[in-house]
Amino acid sequence: LVAHPDIAMVAMTGSSATGRRIMEACSSSLKRLVLELGGKDPMVIFADSDLDTAAEDAVTWSLYNCGQVCCGIERVYIEDSVKADFEAKVQERAKAFVAGDGTDPASKLGPMVSDMQRQIVKRHVDDALAKGAKKLCEAEVRGKASGNFFPATVLTDVKQDMMIMQEETFGP
């Protein structure tokens, strides 16, 4: 499809690897191309930040659509002097994001788009924990929810060499 001569322009949002293949297919005909590839969307919290608003935004915009949004917050950098206060506020809010059946009024988080994506998120979290990150919060998965549910999870002490910092996680 991308290489077809009737296609004048291609726009794609996705992984860097797929973007590279699409760019190669478009290059021979100098086809116009727009790519949005693999972001890690940081949030920065300074000591003079409104911590209540920052915590609310961090949780809301990292868990929006189960974290499966290209511009969702994936990591937060916090000034040391407010780290403990900010983490406590985030933990309190994140616990409210119960995953489960959409007909249950207590559910605020739906399923992942696929089991494959749920496994990617699990692999990133497991890798971070194995390399020294700490789990601040893991919200509830309610009832007998079947499907690709993954609990809202908050990690701290995450390092740059962890998969969760290097690859797009795309989950809660």
Side-chain angles (χ1 to χ4, degrees):
L1 178 65
V2 171
H4 194 280
D6 290 342
I7 303 297
M9 181 177 176
V10 175
M12 192 279 291
T13 299
S15 72
S16 296
T18 301
R20 188 174 291 113
R21 291 175 52 203
I22 289 174
M23 183 182 288
E24 288 171 5
C26 291
S27 68
S28 63
S29 63
L30 298 177
K31 192 168 292 187
R32 293 181 300 157
L33 176 65
V34 176
L35 299 172
E36 193 271 297
L37 308 174
K40 285 305 293 172
D41 309 311
M43 179 179 193
V44 180
I45 308 299
F46 294 105
D48 62 350
S49 298
D50 175 339
L51 295 184
D52 288 316
T53 299
E56 186 68 32
D57 287 351
V59 171
T60 299
W61 299 116
S62 63
L63 297 177
Y64 179 75
N65 197 37
C66 201
Q68 300 170 112
V69 179
C70 292
C71 59
I73 296 167
E74 288 207 38
R75 55 187 168 174
V76 181
Y77 295 97
I78 312 157
E79 194 167 337
D80 286 340
S81 64
V82 295
K83 183 181 177 196
D85 289 342
F86 180 76
E87 286 179 345
K89 292 173 185 299
V90 165
Q91 193 172 3
E92 174 187 321
R93 286 163 174 80
K95 284 181 181 178
F97 277 78
V98 172
D101 187 321
T103 62
D104 180 348
S107 295
K108 290 181 79 174
L109 202 58
M112 304 289 303
V113 69
S114 67
D115 183 60
M116 183 177 85
Q117 187 58 41
R118 189 177 62 79
Q119 292 301 324
I120 289 169
V121 175
K122 182 180 183 329
R123 188 170 60 246
H124 287 191
V125 170
D126 290 348
D127 173 75
L129 294 171
K131 291 179 178 173
K134 294 180 187 87
K135 191 182 296 181
L136 280 181
C137 173
E138 181 176 282
E140 177 185 357
V141 176
R142 190 174 192 103
K144 299 208 183 284
S146 62
N148 300 311
F149 293 97
F150 195 89
T153 304
V154 180
L155 303 177
T156 189
D157 299 333
V158 177
K159 306 292 184 241
Q160 286 299 123
D161 67 335
M162 298 173 180
M163 291 169 64
I164 205 160
M165 290 294 279
Q166 296 298 319
E167 300 176 17
E168 189 170 39
T169 303
F170 221 57

